[in-house]
Amino acid sequence: MSSREFDGKVVIVTGAASGLGRATAVAFAQAGARLALADVDAQGLQETASSIGDLGGEAVALPTDISDVAACAALVEAAHARLGQIDVLCNVAGAFGFAKATEISPEAWNRIFAVNVRGPFFLIQAALPHLIRAEGAVVNVASASAFLGHAYLSHYAASKAALVNLTKSLAMEFIDQPVRINAIAPGGINTAMTATPSVPEGIDFRLLGRYTPLRGSSEPEDLTDLILVLAGPRGKAIHGACLNADRGITAG
Ligand SMILES: NC(=O)c1ccc[n+]([C@@H]2O[C@H](COP(=O)([O-])OP(=O)(O)OC[C@H]3O[C@@H](n4cnc5c(N)ncnc54)[C@H](O)[C@@H]3O)[C@@H](O)[C@H]2O)c1
C-alpha cells in the first residue's frame, strides 16, 4: 500500500460522535492516522469507531465530557496510554443554541463557554507536551459567528470569537516551539447541530436573514481536507491563523 500523509500519527478528535467531528475522524483514518475519539455521546462515538474499523483503521472511543476540566486531562492521558503518542489535537466538539440575550441564564452562558472555549483550552494545555515532542498541531473549529455580530447567538458567537483569540494567543506563546496552532471558521454545515434548530418564541426573523448562506451550506466532508492540511506538513507555513470556510458569509 502506498504511504499516506498521517501514517504513524495519532490524532485526538473531540465531537467525534457526529457531524464534522465524525467526518474529520474518518478522513484522518483514511489518511493513515490512529484515532482517539472523544464525545459525550458514547453510542455515536462507538458508531464512528466501528466505521473506522470497517475501513481497516484503528480508533479508540473515549467517552468524555469536555466541559469537565479533569475529564479533559484524563482524555489526553488515556489517549497517550492507549496509543503511545499524540501528534494532533482537533477540537471539534461544540455547544450551540439560539436564545434571546434577555433570556440567557448564567448556567446556559457557562455551558456554552465550558464546551466551546474552556474545554479546548484545557485539552490543549494537557496535550501540548506531547504535541511539542511530536512536532504536531492543534486545529480548533471556530465559526463564522466569531466574525459577525450574531443576533440570538450572543453567547455562542462570543465563545467562538474567544476560541479564535485563544488560538492566536497560544500560537504567539508557543511561537518558538515546534507545534502549530490554528483554527477554521466554517459557515453553515449540514449536521445535527443545525438540522432542527429550535428558536425562541417571538424572535425577529429579519435579524437571522443576514446569516443565510447565499451559496448554501457545506457538507462535513467539504471541510475535512482543510483540517488535514492544517494538521499536517502541507500546512507548515500556517500558524496562528483562523481560516474562513464559510461559502462567503463573512465576505461582505
Ligand atoms: N453546523 C454548523 O452549521 C456549524 C457552523 C460553524 C461551526 N460549527 C462548529 O462545528 C463543530 C462541530 O459541530 P457539528 O456541526 O458537527 O455539530 P454536531 O452536533 O453534529 O456535533 C457536535 C458534537 O459535539 C459533541 N459535544 C457537545 N458537547 C460536548 C461535550 N461537553 N463534551 C464532548 N462532546 C460534546 C456532541 O455530542 C456532538 O457529537 C462545532 O464546534 C460547531 O460549533 C458548526
Side-chain angles (χ1 to χ4, degrees):
M1 194 199 298
S2 62
S3 75
R4 295 172 296 176
E5 189 178 8
F6 287 92
D7 275 341
K9 305 293 184 191
V10 170
V11 180
I12 299 177
V13 179
T14 71
S18 173
L20 181 57
R22 173 175 284 175
T24 298
V26 169
F28 272 113
Q30 287 170 329
R34 293 181 296 140
L35 273 303
L37 308 175
D39 204 291
V40 270
D41 173 1
Q43 190 187 326
L45 212 52
Q46 206 49 60
E47 288 166 15
T48 306
S50 299
S51 36
I52 288 174
D54 292 344
L55 293 168
E58 182 181 345
V60 178
L62 299 168
T64 305
D65 179 351
I66 64 159
S67 69
D68 175 347
V69 170
C72 291
L75 165 62
V76 170
E77 200 177 312
H80 187 257
R82 296 282 292 274
L83 298 168
Q85 65 197 72
I86 300 169
D87 298 275
V88 176
L89 168 63
C90 291
N91 281 311
V92 188
F96 176 87
F98 288 106
K100 289 179 176 173
T102 48
E103 294 171 1
I104 293 173
S105 65
E107 293 73 25
W109 177 275
N110 287 343
R111 191 181 78 84
I112 291 278
F113 269 73
V115 178
N116 294 354
V117 190
R118 194 179 68 190
F121 173 78
F122 283 103
L123 283 165
I124 294 168
Q125 186 188 67
L128 262 173
H130 304 294
L131 296 172
I132 290 170
R133 200 174 309 123
E135 303 195 2
V138 174
V139 183
N140 295 323
V141 175
S143 165
S145 299
F147 302 102
L148 298 163
H150 208 313
Y152 308 120
L153 278 181
S154 51
H155 51 357
Y156 177 82
S159 75
K160 292 298 188 178
L163 183 61
V164 171
N165 201 276
L166 176 65
T167 303
K168 291 177 179 290
S169 298
L170 293 174
M172 285 310 298
E173 189 161 334
F174 292 89
I175 194 105
D176 289 330
Q177 303 289 328
V179 61
R180 290 181 307 97
I181 304 172
N182 291 295
I184 68 166
I189 318 170
N190 293 321
T191 65
M193 185 172 278
T194 45
T196 48
S198 91
V199 289
E201 271 184 35
I203 66 165
D204 182 345
F205 280 94
R206 284 178 317 148
L207 305 185
L208 292 180
R210 170 71 183 83
Y211 319 110
T212 305
L214 296 173
R215 289 190 170 208
S217 300
S218 296
E219 297 303 323
E221 292 74 16
D222 298 335
L223 298 160
T224 52
D225 273 353
L226 186 56
I227 292 175
L228 265 64
V229 166
L230 290 177
R234 286 182 290 159
K236 68 182 177 190
I238 311 173
H239 181 57
C242 179
L243 303 186
N244 291 343
D246 62 17
R247 294 180 181 256
I249 292 176
T250 53

